[in-house]
Amino acid sequence: MPTPILKLRDLVKSFGGLRAVDGVSMDVQERTLTILIGPNGGGKTTLINLVTGVYKPDQGKVLFDGEDITDRPPHEIFRLGIARTFQIPQPFRKLTVLENLLVCYPNNLGESFLSALRRGRWARIEERAVERAFKLLKLLNLDHLWDQESWKLSGGQMKLLEIGRALMSNAKLLVMDEPVAGVNPVLAHEIFKALRRLKDKLGLTIFMVEHRLDIALQYTDEAYVMASGKIISKGRPEEVVIDPQVIEAYLGS
Ligand SMILES: Nc1ncnc2c1ncn2[C@@H]1O[C@H](COP(=O)(O)OP(=O)(O)OP(=O)(O)O)[C@@H](O)[C@H]1O
Ligand SMILES: [Mg+2]
């Protein structure tokens, strides 16, 4: 039996007179890669901001792992196990790949940790953090670059590093807004393969907005389509893309 880890119920979010999210209910099943697609301005990013606590809904509920998180602030939602990546990766450029992960380990936050890193005082760093970091680097195919300063990474490697940084928190759900935007197709496939590995090996659930359907579909378990604030279709990705309502929504946009 599939178990939903994230349940959205009748969510509404308006900006002035515009209902950007207009009564959305949906489930994201545990350990799936679930994608949200739809024409520009359909409300996808707004929906993700409701899940991660950036916006509060005007109506409706967000349930994560059985808990009502609707009114929780973003840092609490993060602590409960929802991590997020941003469209523009922002690693510390002068830190190495490994160090960039270590600074994201929840108990290592803060300047004293950073200065310890610079002075090479590795003893202060929890062994568990280093273990977690290397596990992630392996799954991301970045382990050979662990000692590389991150400004030397390619754009695609930077995106992989960003994913690793988000997952240092032991998150159960990773939320992403267009993770392969602006990345060439070869690298985009690499990123999706890495996401599948993370999902399988860490028991992670991934919920993402993505425009590059041609690339995303083969890695996707379930797809939802959003247009004008509403979910207009859902199902297996190959079914959803031939749904006449979906085709009409894209043509009309
Ligand atoms: N902070 C805001 N203030 C006012 N209007 C907003 C705000 N954020 C989004 N909107 C509007 O809400 C609607 C939905 O925007 P949203 O960014 O959620 O769409 P989207 O599906 O992510 O689009 P895209 O595919 O272009 O990223 C749009 O009409 C947008 O202009
Ligand atoms: Mg968007």
Side-chain angles (χ1 to χ4, degrees):
M1 267 297 279
T3 321
I5 191 165
L6 181 70
K7 297 191 209 181
L8 310 182
R9 293 293 177 266
D10 304 315
L11 284 179
V12 174
K13 177 70 186 174
S14 299
F15 298 111
L18 174 80
R19 280 165 86 97
V21 172
D22 191 6
V24 166
S25 295
M26 62 178 285
D27 289 344
V28 175
Q29 306 297 339
E30 206 165 28
R31 295 172 185 237
T32 60
L33 195 159
T34 297
I35 194 172
L36 180 63
I37 62 171
N40 289 325
K44 304 180 295 297
T45 297
T46 306
L47 188 68
I48 278 194
N49 283 330
L50 291 175
V51 171
T52 52
V54 176
Y55 295 145
K56 295 289 150 231
D58 305 328
Q59 288 173 45
K61 288 213 173 308
V62 180
L63 301 147
F64 172 63
D65 217 6
E67 194 167 336
D68 186 343
I69 59 163
T70 317
D71 293 314
R72 302 286 191 107
H75 65 273
E76 268 184 39
I77 292 176
F78 176 73
R79 199 175 42 74
L80 287 169
I82 302 184
R84 156 174 213 171
T85 60
F86 292 90
Q87 219 163 313
I88 302 163
Q90 291 177 324
F92 293 103
R93 291 168 51 81
K94 290 214 166 151
L95 294 187
T96 67
V97 167
L98 176 64
E99 288 165 347
N100 258 292
L101 292 188
L102 294 177
V103 289
C104 291
Y105 191 66
N107 303 327
N108 278 345
L109 286 174
E111 262 180 57
S112 62
F113 173 72
L114 266 181
S115 70
L117 257 186
R118 293 220 182 84
R119 282 178 274 136
R121 285 167 54 193
W122 293 91
R124 284 192 56 175
I125 300 161
E126 261 191 72
E127 207 174 310
R128 269 182 306 161
V130 179
E131 253 168 43
R132 173 85 181 166
F134 267 105
K135 185 173 183 183
L136 291 170
L137 289 178
K138 252 200 175 95
L139 291 168
L140 293 163
N141 267 346
L142 288 177
D143 47 330
H144 62 295
L145 297 171
W146 70 276
D147 206 19
Q148 175 100 264
E149 284 182 10
S150 53
W151 64 269
K152 293 181 185 157
L153 298 180
S154 71
Q157 289 165 342
M158 207 79 102
K159 295 228 177 205
L160 289 168
L161 177 60
E162 168 81 1
I163 294 166
R165 282 161 52 86
L167 293 177
M168 282 301 284
S169 64
N170 250 330
K172 288 190 210 156
L173 174 67
L174 177 64
V175 176
M176 313 176 89
D177 197 350
E178 302 195 36
V180 299
V183 171
N184 76 52
V186 176
L187 264 175
H189 280 287
E190 288 301 312
I191 291 172
F192 271 102
K193 282 183 193 147
L195 289 171
R196 291 296 301 192
R197 280 197 298 276
L198 291 166
K199 183 182 88 62
D200 294 339
K201 302 281 187 224
L202 304 176
L204 187 69
T205 306
I206 301 171
F207 177 40
M208 69 162 71
V209 171
E210 188 47 65
H211 270 291
R212 304 274 293 275
L213 281 189
D214 50 328
I215 293 166
L217 282 190
Q218 59 179 293
Y219 304 101
T220 299
D221 299 300
E222 187 162 42
Y224 280 83
V225 186
M226 189 171 184
S228 304
K230 296 182 193 297
I231 300 294
I232 60 163
S233 185
K234 71 161 199 166
R236 291 281 313 157
E238 61 276 12
E239 294 162 4
V240 154
V241 287
I242 54 168
D243 178 341
Q245 277 212 63
V246 174
I247 295 166
E248 196 185 315
Y250 270 95
L251 290 177
S253 72

mmCIF file of all heavy atoms in Angstrom, residues 161-197:
data_model
loop_
_atom_site.group_PDB
_atom_site.id
_atom_site.type_symbol
_atom_site.label_atom_id
_atom_site.label_comp_id
_atom_site.label_asym_id
_atom_site.label_seq_id
_atom_site.Cartn_x
_atom_site.Cartn_y
_atom_site.Cartn_z
ATOM 1 N N LEU A 161 26.110 19.434 -5.833
ATOM 2 C CA LEU A 161 26.573 19.835 -4.509
ATOM 3 C C LEU A 161 25.439 20.474 -3.708
ATOM 4 O O LEU A 161 25.261 20.204 -2.519
ATOM 5 C CB LEU A 161 27.764 20.804 -4.636
ATOM 6 C CG LEU A 161 28.316 21.381 -3.329
ATOM 7 C CD1 LEU A 161 28.813 20.277 -2.406
ATOM 8 C CD2 LEU A 161 29.449 22.365 -3.615
ATOM 9 N N GLU A 162 24.667 21.282 -4.387
ATOM 10 C CA GLU A 162 23.516 21.943 -3.742
ATOM 11 C C GLU A 162 22.531 20.897 -3.197
ATOM 12 O O GLU A 162 21.995 21.039 -2.099
ATOM 13 C CB GLU A 162 22.842 22.862 -4.779
ATOM 14 C CG GLU A 162 21.493 23.417 -4.403
ATOM 15 C CD GLU A 162 21.561 24.622 -3.485
ATOM 16 O OE1 GLU A 162 22.684 25.050 -3.150
ATOM 17 O OE2 GLU A 162 20.490 25.102 -3.084
ATOM 18 N N ILE A 163 22.325 19.843 -3.952
ATOM 19 C CA ILE A 163 21.439 18.765 -3.498
ATOM 20 C C ILE A 163 22.041 18.101 -2.254
ATOM 21 O O ILE A 163 21.349 17.859 -1.265
ATOM 22 C CB ILE A 163 21.223 17.729 -4.633
ATOM 23 C CG1 ILE A 163 20.450 18.376 -5.786
ATOM 24 C CG2 ILE A 163 20.489 16.497 -4.115
ATOM 25 C CD1 ILE A 163 20.469 17.583 -7.090
ATOM 26 N N GLY A 164 23.342 17.835 -2.310
ATOM 27 C CA GLY A 164 24.018 17.239 -1.162
ATOM 28 C C GLY A 164 23.906 18.107 0.076
ATOM 29 O O GLY A 164 23.638 17.621 1.179
ATOM 30 N N ARG A 165 24.086 19.411 -0.097
ATOM 31 C CA ARG A 165 23.998 20.329 1.042
ATOM 32 C C ARG A 165 22.607 20.277 1.677
ATOM 33 O O ARG A 165 22.474 20.261 2.893
ATOM 34 C CB ARG A 165 24.328 21.754 0.586
ATOM 35 C CG ARG A 165 25.833 21.990 0.422
ATOM 36 C CD ARG A 165 26.151 23.194 -0.450
ATOM 37 N NE ARG A 165 25.481 24.417 -0.051
ATOM 38 C CZ ARG A 165 25.946 25.273 0.874
ATOM 39 N NH1 ARG A 165 27.086 25.036 1.462
ATOM 40 N NH2 ARG A 165 25.275 26.346 1.168
ATOM 41 N N ALA A 166 21.586 20.224 0.821
ATOM 42 C CA ALA A 166 20.214 20.182 1.338
ATOM 43 C C ALA A 166 19.972 18.901 2.136
ATOM 44 O O ALA A 166 19.174 18.884 3.069
ATOM 45 C CB ALA A 166 19.215 20.279 0.190
ATOM 46 N N LEU A 167 20.676 17.823 1.778
ATOM 47 C CA LEU A 167 20.390 16.523 2.395
ATOM 48 C C LEU A 167 21.257 16.221 3.615
ATOM 49 O O LEU A 167 21.102 15.175 4.229
ATOM 50 C CB LEU A 167 20.541 15.406 1.352
ATOM 51 C CG LEU A 167 19.495 15.466 0.238
ATOM 52 C CD1 LEU A 167 19.745 14.378 -0.783
ATOM 53 C CD2 LEU A 167 18.075 15.335 0.811
ATOM 54 N N MET A 168 22.159 17.117 3.987
ATOM 55 C CA MET A 168 22.947 16.904 5.205
ATOM 56 C C MET A 168 22.046 16.866 6.445
ATOM 57 O O MET A 168 22.418 16.384 7.486
ATOM 58 C CB MET A 168 24.018 17.981 5.363
ATOM 59 C CG MET A 168 25.241 17.778 4.495
ATOM 60 S SD MET A 168 26.091 16.204 4.784
ATOM 61 C CE MET A 168 26.956 16.543 6.335
ATOM 62 N N SER A 169 20.843 17.404 6.297
ATOM 63 C CA SER A 169 19.921 17.493 7.432
ATOM 64 C C SER A 169 19.168 16.199 7.693
ATOM 65 O O SER A 169 18.352 16.163 8.593
ATOM 66 C CB SER A 169 18.901 18.583 7.151
ATOM 67 O OG SER A 169 18.124 18.192 6.021
ATOM 68 N N ASN A 170 19.421 15.141 6.921
ATOM 69 C CA ASN A 170 18.665 13.902 7.099
ATOM 70 C C ASN A 170 17.192 14.055 6.735
ATOM 71 O O ASN A 170 16.325 13.415 7.339
ATOM 72 C CB ASN A 170 18.736 13.435 8.565
ATOM 73 C CG ASN A 170 19.574 12.190 8.673
ATOM 74 O OD1 ASN A 170 19.622 11.392 7.734
ATOM 75 N ND2 ASN A 170 20.233 12.021 9.796
ATOM 76 N N ALA A 171 16.918 14.899 5.768
ATOM 77 C CA ALA A 171 15.529 15.159 5.392
ATOM 78 C C ALA A 171 14.857 13.895 4.842
ATOM 79 O O ALA A 171 15.511 13.048 4.252
ATOM 80 C CB ALA A 171 15.498 16.241 4.322
ATOM 81 N N LYS A 172 13.542 13.816 5.049
ATOM 82 C CA LYS A 172 12.777 12.707 4.472
ATOM 83 C C LYS A 172 12.180 13.105 3.130
ATOM 84 O O LYS A 172 11.872 12.263 2.299
ATOM 85 C CB LYS A 172 11.606 12.359 5.395
ATOM 86 C CG LYS A 172 12.020 11.674 6.661
ATOM 87 C CD LYS A 172 10.775 11.163 7.358
ATOM 88 C CE LYS A 172 11.005 11.161 8.846
ATOM 89 N NZ LYS A 172 9.773 11.235 9.611
ATOM 90 N N LEU A 173 11.960 14.404 2.983
ATOM 91 C CA LEU A 173 11.345 14.909 1.749
ATOM 92 C C LEU A 173 12.218 16.034 1.195
ATOM 93 O O LEU A 173 12.572 16.962 1.918
ATOM 94 C CB LEU A 173 9.939 15.445 2.057
ATOM 95 C CG LEU A 173 9.206 16.149 0.913
ATOM 96 C CD1 LEU A 173 8.865 15.179 -0.216
ATOM 97 C CD2 LEU A 173 7.919 16.801 1.421
ATOM 98 N N LEU A 174 12.554 15.907 -0.077
ATOM 99 C CA LEU A 174 13.333 16.957 -0.748
ATOM 100 C C LEU A 174 12.423 17.652 -1.748
ATOM 101 O O LEU A 174 11.842 17.003 -2.621
ATOM 102 C CB LEU A 174 14.538 16.330 -1.458
ATOM 103 C CG LEU A 174 15.418 17.286 -2.264
ATOM 104 C CD1 LEU A 174 16.085 18.319 -1.363
ATOM 105 C CD2 LEU A 174 16.490 16.511 -3.039
ATOM 106 N N VAL A 175 12.285 18.956 -1.612
ATOM 107 C CA VAL A 175 11.433 19.742 -2.498
ATOM 108 C C VAL A 175 12.335 20.579 -3.401
ATOM 109 O O VAL A 175 13.268 21.227 -2.924
ATOM 110 C CB VAL A 175 10.509 20.662 -1.654
ATOM 111 C CG1 VAL A 175 9.687 21.561 -2.544
ATOM 112 C CG2 VAL A 175 9.598 19.819 -0.770
ATOM 113 N N MET A 176 12.076 20.544 -4.700
ATOM 114 C CA MET A 176 12.962 21.226 -5.639
ATOM 115 C C MET A 176 12.154 21.993 -6.682
ATOM 116 O O MET A 176 11.163 21.484 -7.191
ATOM 117 C CB MET A 176 13.828 20.190 -6.382
ATOM 118 C CG MET A 176 14.467 19.168 -5.473
ATOM 119 S SD MET A 176 15.373 17.924 -6.407
ATOM 120 C CE MET A 176 16.943 18.723 -6.489
ATOM 121 N N ASP A 177 12.626 23.189 -6.989
ATOM 122 C CA ASP A 177 11.963 23.976 -8.032
ATOM 123 C C ASP A 177 12.889 24.022 -9.253
ATOM 124 O O ASP A 177 13.895 24.715 -9.240
ATOM 125 C CB ASP A 177 11.662 25.391 -7.513
ATOM 126 C CG ASP A 177 10.621 26.111 -8.366
ATOM 127 O OD1 ASP A 177 10.273 25.599 -9.458
ATOM 128 O OD2 ASP A 177 10.158 27.184 -7.946
ATOM 129 N N GLU A 178 12.548 23.270 -10.257
ATOM 130 C CA GLU A 178 13.284 23.222 -11.534
ATOM 131 C C GLU A 178 14.788 22.960 -11.356
ATOM 132 O O GLU A 178 15.620 23.796 -11.723
ATOM 133 C CB GLU A 178 13.044 24.514 -12.311
ATOM 134 C CG GLU A 178 11.557 24.726 -12.560
ATOM 135 C CD GLU A 178 11.285 25.773 -13.631
ATOM 136 O OE1 GLU A 178 12.067 25.827 -14.593
ATOM 137 O OE2 GLU A 178 10.300 26.502 -13.500
ATOM 138 N N PRO A 179 15.120 21.771 -10.835
ATOM 139 C CA PRO A 179 16.529 21.497 -10.524
ATOM 140 C C PRO A 179 17.456 21.422 -11.729
ATOM 141 O O PRO A 179 18.662 21.588 -11.559
ATOM 142 C CB PRO A 179 16.483 20.142 -9.808
ATOM 143 C CG PRO A 179 15.202 19.515 -10.233
ATOM 144 C CD PRO A 179 14.255 20.655 -10.448
ATOM 145 N N VAL A 180 16.946 21.183 -12.931
ATOM 146 C CA VAL A 180 17.871 21.095 -14.069
ATOM 147 C C VAL A 180 17.708 22.252 -15.057
ATOM 148 O O VAL A 180 18.206 22.187 -16.175
ATOM 149 C CB VAL A 180 17.793 19.722 -14.800
ATOM 150 C CG1 VAL A 180 18.162 18.598 -13.856
ATOM 151 C CG2 VAL A 180 16.450 19.493 -15.444
ATOM 152 N N ALA A 181 17.060 23.320 -14.600
ATOM 153 C CA ALA A 181 16.917 24.494 -15.475
ATOM 154 C C ALA A 181 18.297 24.990 -15.895
ATOM 155 O O ALA A 181 19.203 25.101 -15.074
ATOM 156 C CB ALA A 181 16.162 25.599 -14.737
ATOM 157 N N GLY A 182 18.465 25.228 -17.177
ATOM 158 C CA GLY A 182 19.729 25.780 -17.667
ATOM 159 C C GLY A 182 20.884 24.797 -17.738
ATOM 160 O O GLY A 182 22.013 25.205 -17.974
ATOM 161 N N VAL A 183 20.613 23.516 -17.531
ATOM 162 C CA VAL A 183 21.678 22.500 -17.566
ATOM 163 C C VAL A 183 21.569 21.723 -18.874
ATOM 164 O O VAL A 183 20.458 21.444 -19.336
ATOM 165 C CB VAL A 183 21.502 21.532 -16.361
ATOM 166 C CG1 VAL A 183 22.430 20.349 -16.464
ATOM 167 C CG2 VAL A 183 21.722 22.275 -15.057
ATOM 168 N N ASN A 184 22.712 21.374 -19.486
ATOM 169 C CA ASN A 184 22.620 20.654 -20.759
ATOM 170 C C ASN A 184 22.040 19.249 -20.550
ATOM 171 O O ASN A 184 22.096 18.705 -19.453
ATOM 172 C CB ASN A 184 23.966 20.649 -21.497
ATOM 173 C CG ASN A 184 24.942 19.660 -20.885
ATOM 174 O OD1 ASN A 184 24.614 18.475 -20.706
ATOM 175 N ND2 ASN A 184 26.123 20.119 -20.563
ATOM 176 N N PRO A 185 21.441 18.648 -21.611
ATOM 177 C CA PRO A 185 20.700 17.395 -21.446
ATOM 178 C C PRO A 185 21.527 16.257 -20.836
ATOM 179 O O PRO A 185 21.013 15.511 -19.994
ATOM 180 C CB PRO A 185 20.275 17.031 -22.872
ATOM 181 C CG PRO A 185 20.274 18.316 -23.608
ATOM 182 C CD PRO A 185 21.323 19.179 -22.978
ATOM 183 N N VAL A 186 22.791 16.144 -21.204
ATOM 184 C CA VAL A 186 23.607 15.054 -20.668
ATOM 185 C C VAL A 186 23.718 15.178 -19.150
ATOM 186 O O VAL A 186 23.492 14.226 -18.401
ATOM 187 C CB VAL A 186 25.010 15.048 -21.323
ATOM 188 C CG1 VAL A 186 25.889 13.987 -20.699
ATOM 189 C CG2 VAL A 186 24.885 14.821 -22.831
ATOM 190 N N LEU A 187 24.019 16.381 -18.719
ATOM 191 C CA LEU A 187 24.142 16.623 -17.281
ATOM 192 C C LEU A 187 22.805 16.496 -16.572
ATOM 193 O O LEU A 187 22.728 16.013 -15.445
ATOM 194 C CB LEU A 187 24.686 18.031 -17.053
ATOM 195 C CG LEU A 187 26.177 18.121 -16.831
ATOM 196 C CD1 LEU A 187 26.603 19.565 -16.748
ATOM 197 C CD2 LEU A 187 26.527 17.387 -15.537
ATOM 198 N N ALA A 188 21.754 16.940 -17.250
ATOM 199 C CA ALA A 188 20.421 16.848 -16.641
ATOM 200 C C ALA A 188 20.075 15.388 -16.362
ATOM 201 O O ALA A 188 19.556 15.052 -15.292
ATOM 202 C CB ALA A 188 19.381 17.483 -17.555
ATOM 203 N N HIS A 189 20.410 14.491 -17.298
ATOM 204 C CA HIS A 189 20.183 13.058 -17.056
ATOM 205 C C HIS A 189 21.014 12.570 -15.881
ATOM 206 O O HIS A 189 20.547 11.785 -15.059
ATOM 207 C CB HIS A 189 20.513 12.247 -18.313
ATOM 208 C CG HIS A 189 19.407 12.266 -19.336
ATOM 209 N ND1 HIS A 189 18.228 11.580 -19.168
ATOM 210 C CD2 HIS A 189 19.294 12.925 -20.508
ATOM 211 C CE1 HIS A 189 17.436 11.800 -20.207
ATOM 212 N NE2 HIS A 189 18.060 12.618 -21.048
ATOM 213 N N GLU A 190 22.252 13.049 -15.784
ATOM 214 C CA GLU A 190 23.115 12.681 -14.653
ATOM 215 C C GLU A 190 22.468 13.084 -13.330
ATOM 216 O O GLU A 190 22.487 12.337 -12.359
ATOM 217 C CB GLU A 190 24.481 13.386 -14.765
ATOM 218 C CG GLU A 190 25.382 12.839 -15.854
ATOM 219 C CD GLU A 190 25.677 11.360 -15.665
ATOM 220 O OE1 GLU A 190 26.021 10.986 -14.536
ATOM 221 O OE2 GLU A 190 25.528 10.600 -16.646
ATOM 222 N N ILE A 191 21.925 14.288 -13.307
ATOM 223 C CA ILE A 191 21.307 14.791 -12.072
ATOM 224 C C ILE A 191 20.091 13.945 -11.702
ATOM 225 O O ILE A 191 19.922 13.547 -10.554
ATOM 226 C CB ILE A 191 20.956 16.290 -12.213
ATOM 227 C CG1 ILE A 191 22.262 17.101 -12.274
ATOM 228 C CG2 ILE A 191 20.078 16.765 -11.061
ATOM 229 C CD1 ILE A 191 22.095 18.567 -12.600
ATOM 230 N N PHE A 192 19.278 13.623 -12.698
ATOM 231 C CA PHE A 192 18.112 12.776 -12.412
ATOM 232 C C PHE A 192 18.524 11.382 -11.946
ATOM 233 O O PHE A 192 17.903 10.810 -11.049
ATOM 234 C CB PHE A 192 17.183 12.688 -13.622
ATOM 235 C CG PHE A 192 16.160 13.780 -13.618
ATOM 236 C CD1 PHE A 192 16.299 14.885 -14.433
ATOM 237 C CD2 PHE A 192 15.063 13.717 -12.772
ATOM 238 C CE1 PHE A 192 15.373 15.916 -14.416
ATOM 239 C CE2 PHE A 192 14.120 14.734 -12.742
ATOM 240 C CZ PHE A 192 14.281 15.835 -13.564
ATOM 241 N N LYS A 193 19.574 10.842 -12.542
ATOM 242 C CA LYS A 193 20.056 9.521 -12.099
ATOM 243 C C LYS A 193 20.531 9.597 -10.650
ATOM 244 O O LYS A 193 20.262 8.694 -9.852
ATOM 245 C CB LYS A 193 21.182 9.030 -13.007
ATOM 246 C CG LYS A 193 20.662 8.488 -14.326
ATOM 247 C CD LYS A 193 21.800 7.949 -15.181
ATOM 248 C CE LYS A 193 21.294 7.712 -16.599
ATOM 249 N NZ LYS A 193 22.328 7.938 -17.613
ATOM 250 N N ALA A 194 21.227 10.671 -10.323
ATOM 251 C CA ALA A 194 21.692 10.850 -8.938
ATOM 252 C C ALA A 194 20.493 10.957 -7.991
ATOM 253 O O ALA A 194 20.496 10.377 -6.903
ATOM 254 C CB ALA A 194 22.573 12.090 -8.830
ATOM 255 N N LEU A 195 19.458 11.644 -8.422
ATOM 256 C CA LEU A 195 18.268 11.785 -7.570
ATOM 257 C C LEU A 195 17.609 10.431 -7.339
ATOM 258 O O LEU A 195 17.155 10.125 -6.236
ATOM 259 C CB LEU A 195 17.270 12.766 -8.197
ATOM 260 C CG LEU A 195 17.702 14.236 -8.163
ATOM 261 C CD1 LEU A 195 16.759 15.103 -8.986
ATOM 262 C CD2 LEU A 195 17.757 14.749 -6.722
ATOM 263 N N ARG A 196 17.553 9.596 -8.390
ATOM 264 C CA ARG A 196 16.991 8.243 -8.224
ATOM 265 C C ARG A 196 17.820 7.436 -7.227
ATOM 266 O O ARG A 196 17.285 6.722 -6.392
ATOM 267 C CB ARG A 196 16.950 7.473 -9.564
ATOM 268 C CG ARG A 196 15.965 7.955 -10.604
ATOM 269 C CD ARG A 196 14.527 7.864 -10.248
ATOM 270 N NE ARG A 196 13.999 6.542 -9.932
ATOM 271 C CZ ARG A 196 12.683 6.292 -9.818
ATOM 272 N NH1 ARG A 196 11.795 7.254 -10.005
ATOM 273 N NH2 ARG A 196 12.259 5.104 -9.509
ATOM 274 N N ARG A 197 19.155 7.563 -7.340
ATOM 275 C CA ARG A 197 20.024 6.822 -6.405
ATOM 276 C C ARG A 197 19.766 7.281 -4.971
ATOM 277 O O ARG A 197 19.653 6.466 -4.061
ATOM 278 C CB ARG A 197 21.502 7.062 -6.747
ATOM 279 C CG ARG A 197 22.040 6.240 -7.905
ATOM 280 C CD ARG A 197 23.558 6.230 -7.896
ATOM 281 N NE ARG A 197 24.159 7.542 -8.057
ATOM 282 C CZ ARG A 197 24.381 8.144 -9.231
ATOM 283 N NH1 ARG A 197 24.058 7.528 -10.359
ATOM 284 N NH2 ARG A 197 24.929 9.331 -9.286
#
